[in-house]
Amino acid sequence: MPGTVWFVGAGPGDPELITVKGRKLLEAAGAVLFAGSLVDRAATLFTPEGCEIRDSKEMTLDEMTDWLIDAARRHGTVVRLQTGDPGLYGALIEMTRPLSAAGIAWAVVPGVSSAMASMAAAGETLTLPEVTQTVILTRVAGRTPMPPGEDLEALAAHKTTLCIYLSITLLHKVQEALIAAGWAEDAPMLVVQKASWPGEEKIVRGTLADIKRKCQAEKIASQAMIVASPTLGAADWTDLARSKLYDPTFSHRFRKASVTTENTK
Ligand code: SAH
């Protein structure tokens, strides 16, 4: 019986941000194929002695799936370790299909995506009551074109939180799209490079108008998350609507309202 190939989300970089399940799989792994520069520490920190460890940086997709299939024929537990969550820009299905075709079982363990890690690093929130309740995870077209209806200008028209992956070298396109969608030049923007990496994380705050210049000044050209959101900076606002869930007048499944509306302003 061949083993199982586990597609494990390593999280955004800090090895402590892998899930307990992901770590247990690494500890039991006979072979690990990890995704380039971002997740090498987790791969080497948690794997047992004698585990075959290979960086996939220079491999083609076919070479990777061949390697995983071969490893699964020799080991019970094989891990493909990916940055963030494997289901976001992770070529997951391209890799699982050849495994299924070869009769190899596979499963996915989710991970902390870099959008969440970036907002956490900056002490920001993705949603805020009465401000936005929606998050769009997207990118701008690079070598991969955007499907119809998904260009950033159209998505930005919703004025929700936008977490933009894979686009730091295309920041000018982000600026153009948001301006075209009606965002103000002084709308707050956030860029986080290497979120959660001890000692290497960089947080840049700016506006739609000046974020590119600020990133250039910080020499940020890779491994960065761009966030545009009407929630940015809320920690310092004076007029903030409180979350209805914690409002004393609001009953829900786990708590009965303790105060009636008449008693509160
Ligand atoms: N599956 C990954 C995304 C892979 S695509 C995830 O869920 O996070 C690679 C892009 O992710 C990069 O271009 C960058 O936009 C973002 N990224 C990955 N790690 C990051 C980190 N530690 N800090 C900021 N952005 C990161």
Side-chain angles (χ1 to χ4, degrees), residues 12 38 83-85 88-89 113-114 118 165-166 192-195 197 223-225:
L38 272 172
T83 65
D85 182 82
L88 273 169
Y89 311 111
S113 188
S114 48
S118 297
Y165 291 68
L166 294 162
V192 182
Q193 185 180 44
K194 291 193 162 184
W197 282 59
Q223 293 174 359
M225 177 65 49

Side-chain angles (χ1 to χ4, degrees), residues 176 230 265:
E176 285 162 17
K265 289 235 298 212

Side-chain angles (χ1 to χ4, degrees), residues 60 70 76 79 99 105-106 119 136 147 157 185 190 205:
T60 64
D70 174 62
V79 172
L99 296 186
W106 56 270
M119 292 299 261
I136 294 175
E185 295 234 329
L190 172 70
R205 292 175 185 276

Side-chain angles (χ1 to χ4, degrees), residues 94-206:
E94 294 93 315
M95 283 187 275
T96 61
R97 285 170 59 108
L99 296 186
S100 295
I104 306 287
W106 56 270
V108 184
V109 178
V112 175
S113 188
S114 48
M116 287 73 205
S118 297
M119 292 299 261
E124 296 284 356
T125 183
L126 289 154
T127 61
L128 200 58
E130 293 172 40
V131 176
T132 183
Q133 296 287 283
T134 304
V135 181
I136 294 175
L137 307 180
T138 189
R139 60 174 299 171
V140 296
R143 271 175 300 174
T144 308
M146 291 303 278
E150 292 186 30
D151 62 285
L152 189 58
E153 181 182 336
L155 299 175
H158 295 284
K159 306 278 167 68
T160 65
T161 298
L162 297 164
C163 299
I164 307 167
Y165 291 68
L166 294 162
S167 303
I168 192 65
T169 57
L170 302 168
L171 205 41
H172 56 284
K173 283 196 188 180
V174 174
Q175 288 173 308
E176 285 162 17
L178 268 62
I179 294 285
W183 289 58
E185 295 234 329
D186 64 354
M189 297 276 292
L190 172 70
V191 169
V192 182
Q193 185 180 44
K194 291 193 162 184
S196 88
W197 282 59
E200 294 190 48
E201 178 182 276
K202 274 190 190 168
I203 298 175
V204 178
R205 292 175 185 276

